[in-house]
Amino acid sequence: MVDAGLSHVEFGTESLSDTILTNLHKPFAARDAFCRSSCSTEAGLHIAHYFLLGGPGENKQTLQETLIGLDRLERAVFFFFCGIRIYPHTALYDVALREGQITAGQNILSPVFYQSPEISVQDIMRTVGNHANGPFELAYRSR
């Protein structure tokens, strides 16, 4: 693909915690994200990884797993988002309903975002900021 002109690749990595990837029903593990990123770097591509922080099961430990893993992703840009939009007829909808984050029949046409009850948005932002050792912007979407 590089020979055909590909110069950039963006990964929906979501997390570097296997627990979170499993909870999000992703068909890959953290080791796969590291491998794909490394191969892309070796091919000379510009790389971006997108992370969805605060998903089902996110806590201080799983967040640390992701942040520690960032240091292994060389020459990449990271985009962090807090909360995951809830859509009807999805596993995340069922989790949010079970946890009381939404109610049955609630109109979610106007975006509603899932946020793990195990870690606050403020704790996520502070932890990411501390790891980055400087100012950063973290997209936060409220319910």
Side-chain angles (χ1 to χ4, degrees), residues 9 11 34-47 49 72-76:
V9 65
F11 294 102
F34 296 126
C35 180
R36 302 300 187 279
S37 189
S38 177
C39 290
S40 298
T41 299
E42 290 172 17
L45 296 171
H46 298 280
I47 303 166
H49 289 271
R72 293 179 52 193
L73 300 174
E74 297 179 355
R75 298 189 338 235

Side-chain angles (χ1 to χ4, degrees), residues 12-41:
T13 307
E14 322 303 18
S15 177
L16 292 172
S17 166
D18 285 335
T19 298
I20 299 303
L21 293 172
T22 298
N23 291 351
L24 292 174
H25 304 281
K26 294 297 174 179
F28 59 89
R31 71 178 175 280
D32 301 315
F34 296 126
C35 180
R36 302 300 187 279
S37 189
S38 177
C39 290
S40 298
T41 299

